[in-house]
């Protein structure tokens, strides 16, 4: 009876979300987002609509509008957003997940009152973690912060900061000590990007977008009161940030890829390949891989809901998604022929299955790195799920350990 009641409640939610989207989902947004200005306007307007309807932050605590949703309810909402081909909330993603969830866990009452309402009003945050020599090895951060009275004076450079050129605030990981283990010397700060000494420079990507920025920090002063956790506790705070959105994003992305399979089907018909055995075989294989990725994402979420999630479950979904996305875009590129080889203007913020096949194909390679490279995911799966021996350390030609 209880399970049936829960199922009925979820179906009512699905019906409500679907009806709301039919009336409110943006129309023709892919065709209109041909400039960063149009992209920013669309993203801000769409987030405001979702926030007003209570669908923007279902993962937040119940005291916030639309918050307090169970994981099962969140799944329904994200599935319907993907089904309706609505814009992904790329501009506000770091704000509502990474920034908000870190503030909920580590922020003081004053910090939460100061920052959380502004996020719901549309304030944009970015993440200042990676550096030129500290990507996968996050503990290698070298951006230096020296405490001088009531402020930290920060110098250094951050790289691959998503939407950093458009952001108002930044989650900043800095080094305050070089003593002991690398992780022990890290501190976590909240940076106002309008502070003197901050320069944000967009990074132009191969497919034409500029999703990321590099941040240059030159004697930037950050008040001590804008520190999360204690000095030297930055590694623990950063782990909370990185785990804040794991899983649901992959579920949404997988659902969006399944929802875009019609683009491949249309191409097969448009190119007269309905009887091409090789193409039909590849399309069937792709469809199976997409379904398998969605099933992995569903199982991952079911494990989390049941409290039996294992370290490495998310890696299975991430690895399957990144590899399947490559196959998806490659098949589209093959079917598109010479026309697909030409560079055409991209849809800013359009995702990875836009039908602009060359841009989609090039962008798909980023997902074999973003959020942890395929190699890192394989190591996690082999060591944590399959209990295989850890990868041996390298050796020099002289026979000593590297």
């Amino acid at each position: 009876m209880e399970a049936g009641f829960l199922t009925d409640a979820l179906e009512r939610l699905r019906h409500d979300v679907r009806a709301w989207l039919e009336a409110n989902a943006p129309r023709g947004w892919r065709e209109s987002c041909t400039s960063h200005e149009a992209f920013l306007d669309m993203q801000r307007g769409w987030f405001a609509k979702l926030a007003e309807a209570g669908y923007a932050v279902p993962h937040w605590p119940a005291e916030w509008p639309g918050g307090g949703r169970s994981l099962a309810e969140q799944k329904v909402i994200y599935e319907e957003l993907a089904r309706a081909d609505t814009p992904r909330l790329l501009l506000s993603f770091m704000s509502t997940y990474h920034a908000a969830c870190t503030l909920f866990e580590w922020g003081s009452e004053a910090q939460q009152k100061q920052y959380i309402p502004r996020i719901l009003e549309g304030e944009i945050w970015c993440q200042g973690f990676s550096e030129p020599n500290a990507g996968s090895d996050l503990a290698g951060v070298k951006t230096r912060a020296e405490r001088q009275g009531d402020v930290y004076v920060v110098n250094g450079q951050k790289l691959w900061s998503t939407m950093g050129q458009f952001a108002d605030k930044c989650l900043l990981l800095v080094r305050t000590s070089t003593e002991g283990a690398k992780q022990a010397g890290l501190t976590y700060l909240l940076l106002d990007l309008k502070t003197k000494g901050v320069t944000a420079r967009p990074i132009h990507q191969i497919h034409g977008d500029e999703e990321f920025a590099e941040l240059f920090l030159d004697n930037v002063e950050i008040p001590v009161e804008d520190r999360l956790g204690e000095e030297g506790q930055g590694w623990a705070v950063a782990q909370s940030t990185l785990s804040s959105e794991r899983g649901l994003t992959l579920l949404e992305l997988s659902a969006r890829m399944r929802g875009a399979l019609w683009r491949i089907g249309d191409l097969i018909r448009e190119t007269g390949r309905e009887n091409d055995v090789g193409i039909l075989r590849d399309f069937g294989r792709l469809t199976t891989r997409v379904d398998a990725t969605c099933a992995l994402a569903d199982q991952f979420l079911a494990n989390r809901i049941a409290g039996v999630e294992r370290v490495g479950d998310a890696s299975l979904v991430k690895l399957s998604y990144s590899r399947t996305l490559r196959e998806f875009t490659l098949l589209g590129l093959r079917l598109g022929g010479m026309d697909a080889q030409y560079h055409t203007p991209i849809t800013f913020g359009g995702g990875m299955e836009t039908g602009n096949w060359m841009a989609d194909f090039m962008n798909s390679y980023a997902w074999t790195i973003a959020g942890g490279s395929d190699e890192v995911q394989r190591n996690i799966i082999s060591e944590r799920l399959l209990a295989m021996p850890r990868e041996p350390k390298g050796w020099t030609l002289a026979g000593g350990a590297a």
Side-chain angles (χ1 to χ4, degrees):
M1 183 67 177
E2 185 176 342
F5 176 79
L6 177 60
T7 300
D8 290 344
L10 291 176
E11 285 308 307
R12 285 195 297 273
L13 173 63
R14 187 180 299 279
H15 177 271
D16 291 344
V17 176
R18 188 172 295 183
W20 185 86
L21 287 170
E22 288 176 358
N24 294 279
R27 311 297 179 191
W29 65 270
R30 289 185 181 276
E31 292 73 24
S32 66
C33 286
T34 55
S35 69
H36 283 116
E37 291 75 16
F39 165 72
L40 293 173
D41 287 344
M42 180 273 296
Q43 287 276 310
R44 290 190 175 109
W46 180 228
F47 177 78
K49 266 192 171 184
L50 285 169
E52 184 180 1
Y55 297 136
V57 289
H59 57 291
W60 283 19
E63 58 264 30
W64 297 95
R69 297 281 193 182
S70 68
L71 283 172
E73 290 173 316
Q74 294 176 50
K75 178 177 182 288
V76 167
I77 292 171
Y78 288 121
E79 283 177 340
E80 290 305 311
L81 290 171
R83 176 185 173 277
D85 190 32
T86 60
R88 287 189 64 216
L89 294 175
L90 299 175
L91 189 64
S92 55
F93 182 81
M94 289 287 174
S95 310
T96 59
Y97 277 96
H98 293 210
C101 294
T102 307
L103 283 162
F104 285 135
E105 183 170 351
W106 291 91
S108 65
E109 183 177 351
Q111 288 171 328
Q112 292 181 11
K113 286 182 177 180
Q114 179 180 358
Y115 292 117
I116 298 295
R118 295 181 187 176
I119 291 175
L120 204 55
E121 293 167 2
E123 187 169 71
I124 304 304
W125 287 69
C126 68
Q127 188 170 291
F129 282 16
S130 296
E131 297 180 3
N133 295 307
S136 297
D137 179 20
L138 189 58
V141 161
K142 289 185 169 57
T143 293
R144 183 72 177 170
E146 296 182 7
R147 183 165 179 173
Q148 298 181 9
D150 294 332
V151 300
Y152 287 100
V153 179
V154 183
N155 287 278
Q157 178 186 356
K158 293 295 179 178
L159 197 60
W160 305 119
S161 179
T162 303
M163 301 291 164
Q165 67 271 44
F166 308 122
D168 304 299
K169 299 289 192 297
C170 177
L171 304 170
L172 190 67
L173 192 62
V174 298
R175 181 162 299 284
T176 48
S177 173
T178 56
E179 298 180 3
K182 291 188 296 184
Q183 292 89 338
L186 299 177
T187 298
Y188 201 110
L189 304 175
L190 307 176
L191 167 64
D192 185 333
L193 289 171
K194 293 185 287 293
T195 304
K196 181 181 178 181
V198 178
T199 302
R201 183 180 300 166
I203 298 172
H204 189 74
Q205 296 160 257
I206 189 172
H207 65 298
D209 205 347
E210 293 178 345
E211 293 177 77
F212 309 98
E214 50 186 340
L215 305 176
F216 298 91
L217 310 171
D218 185 14
N219 290 324
V220 175
E221 295 187 0
I222 302 176
V224 172
E225 64 187 26
D226 284 336
R227 182 186 69 210
L228 283 188
E230 299 299 323
E231 186 170 302
Q233 222 175 0
W235 181 257
V237 183
Q239 297 312 301
S240 299
T241 302
L242 294 172
S243 65
S244 62
E245 49 76 34
R246 183 180 55 175
L248 282 169
T249 298
L250 293 171
L251 186 145
E252 180 189 357
L253 289 172
S254 301
R256 286 180 180 274
M257 183 162 55
R258 173 187 273 165
L261 280 169
W262 65 267
R263 295 185 186 278
I264 301 290
D266 279 1
L267 263 182
I268 292 174
R269 287 186 290 271
E270 290 168 6
T271 55
R273 310 290 285 276
E274 298 98 323
N275 298 315
D276 187 319
V277 175
I279 290 296
L280 294 179
R281 176 201 62 210
D282 292 345
F283 184 48
R285 182 180 297 157
L286 172 65
T287 302
T288 302
R289 288 291 299 273
V290 171
D291 283 345
T293 301
C294 290
L296 280 172
D298 285 345
Q299 184 60 55
F300 165 81
L301 192 62
N303 287 348
R304 175 173 286 190
I305 292 172
V308 295
E309 177 189 348
R310 303 165 298 175
V311 175
D313 280 348
S315 294
L316 284 172
V317 188
K318 169 62 169 61
L319 182 62
S320 180
Y321 174 77
S322 65
R323 305 308 297 181
T324 304
L325 180 65
R326 289 262 294 271
E327 293 182 22
F328 184 106
T329 58
L330 178 59
L331 183 54
L333 191 63
R334 284 172 51 203
L335 286 165
M338 285 302 298
D339 288 342
Q341 305 295 319
Y342 297 118
H343 178 272
T344 54
I346 68 167
T347 298
F348 290 101
M352 281 69 69
E353 310 92 8
T354 67
N356 186 338
W357 296 110
M358 179 55 76
D360 289 346
F361 177 68
M362 290 188 291
N363 198 22
S364 72
Y365 276 77
W367 268 94
T368 63
I369 301 172
S373 69
D374 285 1
E375 291 77 14
V376 168
Q377 306 306 328
R378 289 191 180 100
N379 274 350
I380 294 172
I381 292 167
S382 64
E383 294 171 7
R384 306 302 292 272
L385 287 181
L386 303 178
M388 296 175 67
R390 292 183 64 86
E391 187 175 3
K393 293 183 178 180
W395 289 79
T396 67
L397 292 177

